[in-house]
Amino acid sequence: MQFGIFSVGDVTPDPTTGRTPTERDRIKAMVAIALKAEEVGLDVFATGEHHNPPFVPSSPTTMLGYIAARTERLVLSTSTTLITTNDPVKIAEDFAMLQHLADGRVDLMMGRGNAGPVYPWFGQDIRQGINLAIENYALLHRLWREDVVNWEGKFRTPLQGFTSTPRPLDGVAPFVWHGSIRSPEIAEQAAYYGDGFFHNNIFWPADHTKQMVELYRSRYAHYGHGTPEQAIVGLGGQVFMRKNSQDAIREFRPYFDVAPVYGHGPSLEDFMDQTPLTVGSPQQVIEKTLSFREYAGDYQRQLFLMDHAGLPLKTVLEQLDMLGEEVVPVLRKEFAAGRPADVPEAPTHASLLAKKGSEEVTVA
């Protein structure tokens, strides 16, 4: 099972000091967080994509390419890549290039995005969000798998005899997760292609997550990719830890109360009760994260949001030390216990390349 972190890259004032980081500060902090993730033994770093304030990661592959040059093991991903407002041709090119630069340590998460004003900035209509996601990904899927593509659709100009360059590393397309919070159409899309489904459940109660994951698992089996239990599932989460749970709650509360994503809403206690958010001791984080398996089954990837809401970099790095030293080693052991042998691990470039080789041998 893979463990990692994702960042939405918000530029938020620290409510305890009133200081707002510059955009440069925030970008540099995201890089430092990624490097720390590898240092403490995590598997994945994922960056969001945003084109509106108060966020900075408008060019994920630029950032991930820089991080690739400074890391050796870390899988570089997104959370999410906007399949609705990006040109699928450019996505195909950018992530294939990143694949080569990172020696295959790349996958990505497709998403529609939740900022309505972004759509017209890129010549699109938010009312067509689902249709854009479906059509654009169908084209992207072909661009990585067919050397010459002839294509015509509704939302971009046709392609005649087009070859996306560079071609995917070793002829293996980057693995794709389809990220969604509430759209069954996206779970269906992930199942249709046999791709991964990432339910970013940080805002939602367990019963909603269970319903979405079960839909994806059943449709994955329907399309003949394997049993429901073999479907590739990822989950989100958010934690803040101190040795003493009361200290964690006292320190995190001012950040929670003004957070741009969920601030000014339910209380911290209510939000912890109703969602995966865990503010407390490392043991409490372990116990709550292990409970995800009760409603999501054996899954492949767990990503935590650690740097939201104006938390200073020093604090985030302290959190990552605790996550890597005290939490993840226990989670690895406990999640592995009793995991059925036929439940796959999260796909990597190496595993996809091996699968491709065995399929070619079988055909031959």
Side-chain angles (χ1 to χ4, degrees), residues 189-253:
Q189 182 183 42
Y192 176 80
Y193 288 100
D195 295 338
F197 178 63
F198 190 93
H199 190 264
N200 194 6
N201 53 325
I202 61 173
F203 310 112
W204 292 85
D207 57 348
H208 175 80
T209 301
K210 182 176 188 290
Q211 184 179 21
M212 291 289 287
V213 171
E214 286 183 347
L215 170 63
Y216 161 68
R217 288 188 184 278
S218 66
R219 299 303 289 171
Y220 181 95
H222 168 80
Y223 289 114
H225 301 299
T227 67
E229 294 75 21
Q230 292 171 327
I232 309 298
V233 174
L235 296 179
Q238 184 177 10
V239 300
F240 185 87
M241 295 173 283
R242 289 303 182 199
K243 296 294 184 183
N244 181 286
S245 60
Q246 288 77 20
D247 290 340
I249 289 173
R250 182 173 57 253
E251 184 175 348
F252 187 68
R253 189 184 300 279

Side-chain angles (χ1 to χ4, degrees), residues 61-280:
T61 53
T62 303
M63 173 173 284
L64 294 177
Y66 182 75
I67 293 169
R70 302 186 62 186
T71 55
E72 296 180 357
R73 298 179 295 96
L74 203 62
V75 175
L76 308 171
S77 191
T78 56
S79 61
T80 62
T81 294
L82 301 180
I83 188 63
T84 47
T85 51
N86 279 305
D87 182 356
V89 172
K90 195 69 171 73
I91 296 175
E93 295 173 340
D94 284 351
F95 281 89
M97 176 69 78
L98 182 59
Q99 255 196 327
H100 286 271
L101 291 172
D103 297 324
R105 294 184 289 123
V106 174
D107 59 34
L108 67 162
M109 187 194 307
M110 298 297 176
R112 290 186 293 133
N114 56 13
V118 173
Y119 280 74
W121 296 344
F122 291 88
Q124 302 297 348
D125 182 344
I126 193 172
R127 294 170 294 184
Q128 295 293 331
I130 292 289
N131 293 330
L132 279 161
I134 292 171
E135 180 178 296
N136 283 352
Y137 184 64
L139 174 55
L140 176 62
H141 192 268
R142 289 184 59 190
L143 289 169
W144 276 333
R145 290 164 176 81
E146 301 175 26
D147 289 338
V148 180
V149 173
N150 296 301
W151 178 90
E152 185 172 351
K154 179 179 179 182
F155 297 108
R156 78 172 317 280
T157 53
L159 298 173
Q160 297 294 330
F162 180 77
T163 299
S164 175
T165 60
R167 304 303 297 143
L169 178 65
D170 300 320
V172 176
F175 185 74
V176 169
W177 303 80
H178 298 257
S180 180
I181 297 174
R182 61 187 180 273
S183 301
E185 296 92 340
I186 302 304
E188 177 79 16
Q189 182 183 42
Y192 176 80
Y193 288 100
D195 295 338
F197 178 63
F198 190 93
H199 190 264
N200 194 6
N201 53 325
I202 61 173
F203 310 112
W204 292 85
D207 57 348
H208 175 80
T209 301
K210 182 176 188 290
Q211 184 179 21
M212 291 289 287
V213 171
E214 286 183 347
L215 170 63
Y216 161 68
R217 288 188 184 278
S218 66
R219 299 303 289 171
Y220 181 95
H222 168 80
Y223 289 114
H225 301 299
T227 67
E229 294 75 21
Q230 292 171 327
I232 309 298
V233 174
L235 296 179
Q238 184 177 10
V239 300
F240 185 87
M241 295 173 283
R242 289 303 182 199
K243 296 294 184 183
N244 181 286
S245 60
Q246 288 77 20
D247 290 340
I249 289 173
R250 182 173 57 253
E251 184 175 348
F252 187 68
R253 189 184 300 279
Y255 296 94
F256 174 87
D257 287 345
V258 300
V261 171
Y262 46 56
H264 311 288
S267 70
L268 173 58
E269 286 76 12
D270 286 346
F271 208 83
M272 284 196 291
D273 182 58
Q274 297 168 19
T275 76
L277 174 65
T278 312
V279 181

Side-chain angles (χ1 to χ4, degrees), residues 307-343:
D307 67 334
H308 183 49
L311 285 167
L313 177 60
K314 178 178 180 292
T315 301
V316 176
L317 298 181
E318 292 169 351
Q319 294 291 304
L320 289 173
D321 276 327
M322 284 187 281
L323 188 69
E325 294 170 7
E326 302 182 49
V327 174
V328 166
V330 178
L331 291 177
R332 288 194 197 279
K333 179 180 178 181
E334 294 298 324
F335 274 116
R339 186 182 182 94
D342 62 343
V343 173

